[in-house]
Amino acid sequence: MQHKVIDTNDVVIRFAGDSGDGMQLTGSLFADMSAIYGNELSTFPDYPAEIRAPHGTVSGVSGFQVHIGSKDVNTPGDYCDLLVAMNPAALKANAKWCKHTAMILVDVDAFGETEMKKAGFLTDNPFAELHVEDRALIAAPITSMTKESLKDSGMDLKSILKCKNMFTLGMACFIYSRPLEYIYSYIEKKFAKKHPEFIEPNRKVLNDGFNYAANIQAIPDTYTVEPAKLKKGLYRNMTGNQAIAWGLLAASEKSHLPLFCGSYPITPATAILEELAIHKSLGAKTLQAEDEIAGICTAIGASFAGNLAVTTTSGPGLSLKSEAMGLAVMAELPLVIVDVQRGGPSTGLPTKTEQTDLLQALYGRNGECPVVVMAAKSPAGCFDAAFYAAKIALEHMTPVILLSEGFIGNGSEPWLIPSMSQYPEIKPPFASGLHLGDKFKPYERDPETLVRKWAVPGMKGYEHRVGGLEKNHDGVLSNDPENHAAMVAEREEKIRRISKYIPELKVEGPASGKLLIVGWGGTFGHLLTAYHTLVQEGREVSFAHFEYIKPLPRNTEAVFAGFEKIIVCELNSGMFCAYLRGLFPDKDFRQYNKVQGQPFLVSELVEAIRKEL
């Protein structure tokens, strides 16, 4: 049978297997290779929530979805064109994500009676039981072929079996006409220092997988996805967590301040701390603290000493940091708190994504305790979000909570590496110009911004007291009721005035009409794709996405005034919608919500918005 080679604009591949099957690495390599080839892409790593789920069970399945295209790609895709399932549990957990035209590639060696029972199958035909028998099924003896490929390698059986993912990757590369040179280069770099003896076996098994796919008859067609017409420049495939770390490093450069990150490791934010830790050459200092409270308190101390101070966490850690955030608000010290949100409450779903920390970020502290709240919109967008979070914190002497999400923190997309000349200088309001004999007043404010001056230890004449107790403008402890009321009002007004220094809200589509689609944070790609789908159907819709939550962009009310209805779509039970209703009670807000630990599907968004129309 002659394979047909089909040109297509985009494809979605989902790799799935046990946690030890290397599916995250396989998917990452396929994505990185496609990025170098020039495709647009978006990825979605889907980790199991259990640390050590029983081998071969559905709860232990690890997945990685990658969407590559020759045109704009804004989501990892709703459903896949190819599902790679390394065992019965992976097939059972992921068959529902297959398109009707999908190919399903399985390691038939893993589909024994014991494995089938462990995955919960009731019959000996898993494809019929899952109603996917009409798909193009490729039952390949991947384990056997890997053993055969490496029988003369000198490797032990355990090491040989770890190479199944490379054989599978070779097959996927044939199906989608991917060049193997990048993976060869990766293998050489990975093993060159410690295990050079693994280089040739991994190259061989990868190549054998490619050739096996080329020679079997079960693969009906192969596909090519041409490079996208990207803006010229140097790109790299970047996860959101990496981008946040790099954005903070850029802010350190532009502010001429050393970067300090005090954090406690927590899923899914740990990678930010890890990324910053490898950049000591750029002046970054990192401290892995013994707990969340110690993490933020060391960062506050670093801020007092004149550093760009950062602490990173997820929802449970944000709860623990709340008292110390109040200290930073009262002391009016710059601090960036990055919260990579996950499913909750409590430890909840540590590896799944949600937007359920919004109200905690806005209100989760005792007393009148205002902070700036921002939200990153995409993996690549995390760089700008982190940079401007640091800029606002430093220039306005305030804590800033930057909300990310597990989906964009772990997900990746091509990022055009910018020139630092494109980014503004960051100018912290350091105290200066004190006349001899004058006393420094730490809470005396700039009349335009209400920002106080920053005096760091060692500045002669600028000695002052900070702490959690209320003070007057001179920095003297005060229990006076009028002073407290005035200071509370000034701290709130300082945050409100930041709206003058952030971008206005942009609207995709007409500036007025029947329905405005609204989202915030990491739902951007799905909502933008849904919006374009509806426009192509001839629907009257517009779209606005929020990256600044508190304060809102200064033109928000004017934008809302142009629409009859506003539908707010978010991965929680309606937190942003409730916030907006409180601020704009006269507007007709509708909501569409999802709380499943999974990102939106474009198809479900389109259907929900159609109903509102």
Side-chain angles (χ1 to χ4, degrees):
M1 182 178 69
Q2 184 69 35
H3 288 300
K4 288 190 295 182
V5 181
I6 300 172
D7 289 324
T8 185
N9 287 329
D10 68 314
V11 293
V12 178
I13 303 99
R14 190 174 183 92
F15 299 94
D18 257 315
S19 291
D21 285 337
M23 292 296 96
Q24 300 299 324
L25 174 61
T26 306
S28 296
L29 285 173
F30 193 93
D32 290 348
M33 171 179 48
S34 298
I36 289 173
Y37 184 68
N39 293 125
E40 281 269 16
L41 65 89
S42 176
T43 71
F44 174 43
D46 191 10
Y47 303 99
E50 296 185 34
I51 296 173
R52 281 285 179 267
H55 187 83
T57 61
V58 172
S59 59
V61 171
S62 178
F64 190 103
Q65 186 156 304
V66 55
H67 182 185
I68 62 172
S70 57
K71 297 182 180 179
D72 285 347
V73 170
N74 295 304
T75 78
D78 286 3
Y79 299 96
C80 62
D81 297 281
L82 171 66
L83 170 63
V84 176
M86 298 299 285
N87 63 12
L91 176 65
K92 187 166 189 178
N94 292 282
K96 62 185 176 182
W97 301 117
C98 289
K99 296 178 182 177
H100 290 293
T101 56
M103 284 185 279
I104 299 177
L105 168 61
V106 301
D107 179 6
V108 71
D109 292 332
F111 278 67
E113 184 179 349
T114 302
E115 292 84 358
M116 294 275 285
K117 285 183 178 178
K118 194 177 287 188
F121 284 107
L122 303 176
T123 69
D124 59 359
N125 188 338
F127 305 108
E129 195 169 327
L130 295 170
H131 307 293
V132 293
E133 68 272 25
D134 58 335
R135 313 304 200 271
L137 306 175
I138 308 166
I142 293 172
T143 300
S144 301
M145 294 300 296
T146 303
K147 290 179 183 177
E148 178 65 24
S149 173
L150 299 178
K151 65 181 181 181
D152 299 323
S153 65
M155 297 167 65
D156 60 79
L157 180 59
K158 185 177 180 180
S159 297
I160 287 173
L161 293 178
K162 285 184 177 180
C163 295
K164 289 188 298 181
N165 64 328
M166 300 306 289
F167 188 92
T168 307
L169 181 57
M171 294 186 69
C173 288
F174 172 77
I175 295 170
Y176 292 108
S177 308
R178 302 285 94 182
L180 300 180
E181 285 73 20
Y182 168 77
I183 306 172
Y184 290 154
S185 174
Y186 168 83
I187 291 169
E188 288 171 6
K189 289 178 182 176
K190 179 176 175 62
F191 296 117
K193 288 186 178 180
K194 293 186 177 180
H195 296 287
E197 71 276 11
F198 287 168
I199 293 174
E200 191 51 40
N202 275 277
R203 283 176 60 106
K204 183 178 187 302
V205 75
L206 175 73
N207 198 56
D208 286 350
F210 187 95
N211 291 332
Y212 174 79
N215 290 317
I216 63 172
Q217 299 297 309
I219 297 174
D221 302 306
T222 56
Y223 300 84
T224 58
V225 183
E226 292 299 320
K229 293 180 180 178
L230 299 170
K231 183 179 178 181
K232 287 186 178 180
L234 183 62
Y235 287 80
R236 65 163 289 161
N237 195 31
M238 182 74 94
T239 69
N241 283 337
Q242 285 177 307
I244 285 175
W246 285 30
L248 293 169
L249 290 167
S252 173
E253 177 184 327
K254 285 293 187 175
S255 64
H256 308 287
L257 295 178
L259 172 65
F260 176 87
C261 179
S263 293
Y264 179 74
I266 182 172
T267 302
T270 306
I272 303 171
L273 176 63
E274 293 171 340
E275 183 68 23
L276 289 173
I278 64 177
H279 293 294
K280 294 182 179 67
S281 63
L282 299 178
K285 298 186 288 289
T286 55
L287 174 69
Q288 181 175 320
E290 65 267 28
D291 55 44
E292 295 282 3
I293 299 170
I296 188 172
C297 287
T298 58
I300 292 172
S303 177
F304 177 67
N307 290 257
L308 166 52
V310 180
T311 187
T312 58
T313 191
S314 190
L318 192 67
S319 302
L320 290 166
K321 293 179 190 292
S322 61
E323 182 182 0
M325 275 190 273
L327 172 60
V329 169
M330 182 62 87
E332 298 192 47
L333 288 168
L335 177 66
V336 178
I337 304 113
V338 181
D339 173 14
V340 188
Q341 298 167 94
R342 69 193 215 184
S346 187
T347 43
L349 303 170
T351 61
K352 307 302 180 182
T353 196
E354 280 180 6
Q355 294 183 307
T356 45
D357 295 348
L358 178 60
L359 294 184
Q360 181 179 202
L362 287 166
Y363 306 119
R365 296 163 295 283
N366 67 296
E368 298 285 349
C369 195
V371 302
V372 174
V373 180
M374 295 172 57
K377 69 178 184 180
S378 66
C382 284
F383 180 88
D384 279 4
F387 179 88
Y388 287 104
K391 187 175 190 294
I392 290 170
L394 290 169
E395 293 185 342
H396 295 269
M397 297 295 286
T398 179
V400 175
I401 297 177
L402 173 58
L403 296 173
S404 179
E405 298 149 41
F407 165 60
I408 59 173
N410 292 322
S412 67
E413 63 183 359
W415 175 62
L416 176 60
I417 300 175
S419 166
M420 281 295 94
S421 64
Q422 299 170 5
Y423 286 80
E425 290 296 317
I426 297 175
K427 300 175 181 178
F430 286 113
S432 63
L434 191 68
H435 297 293
L436 187 66
D438 288 348
K439 182 174 175 56
F440 174 58
K441 297 180 179 181
Y443 293 102
E444 191 173 49
R445 302 180 184 279
D446 180 284
E448 177 65 26
T449 63
L450 298 186
V451 173
R452 79 172 186 90
K453 296 296 183 182
W454 192 8
V456 300
M459 295 175 64
K460 188 174 181 180
Y462 290 89
E463 297 84 358
H464 64 286
R465 179 185 294 175
V466 296
L469 293 172
E470 186 67 276
K471 299 166 190 67
N472 61 22
H473 289 151
D474 294 337
V476 177
L477 297 182
S478 173
N479 290 313
D480 179 71
E482 286 76 18
N483 175 75
H484 177 58
M487 294 296 274
V488 165
E490 287 175 10
R491 287 190 288 262
E492 179 66 40
E493 179 64 14
K494 180 179 76 168
I495 301 301
R496 192 188 69 79
R497 291 190 185 185
I498 292 171
S499 64
K500 298 178 183 178
Y501 303 92
I502 63 176
E504 290 194 341
L505 184 63
K506 294 180 181 178
V507 178
E508 295 276 351
S512 61
K514 292 183 178 179
L515 183 68
L516 177 68
I517 305 164
V518 162
W520 65 275
T523 60
F524 172 76
H526 294 86
L527 288 168
L528 181 64
T529 306
Y531 161 74
H532 285 309
T533 302
L534 290 159
V535 169
Q536 288 168 5
E537 293 178 358
R539 308 276 183 168
E540 274 189 61
V541 292
S542 298
F543 170 50
H545 199 79
F546 285 84
E547 296 176 72
Y548 294 87
I549 308 294
K550 181 168 183 174
L552 293 169
R554 56 191 176 276
N555 66 327
T556 300
E557 186 171 12
V559 168
F560 286 174
F563 296 91
E564 296 175 20
K565 291 191 292 185
I566 301 165
I567 182 168
V568 184
C569 307
E570 48 188 327
L571 298 176
N572 57 44
S573 297
M575 294 182 179
F576 190 49
C577 190
Y579 175 63
L580 293 176
R581 281 188 178 120
L583 294 172
F584 309 102
D586 59 325
K587 297 305 299 178
D588 183 5
F589 288 103
R590 309 299 174 90
Q591 59 191 77
Y592 180 70
N593 305 107
K594 181 176 182 177
V595 192
Q596 299 177 10
Q598 295 290 326
F600 281 127
L601 301 179
V602 172
S603 55
E604 64 192 9
L605 286 169
V606 168
E607 183 59 29
I609 296 164
R610 281 185 191 136
K611 289 179 180 178
E612 289 299 336
L613 289 165

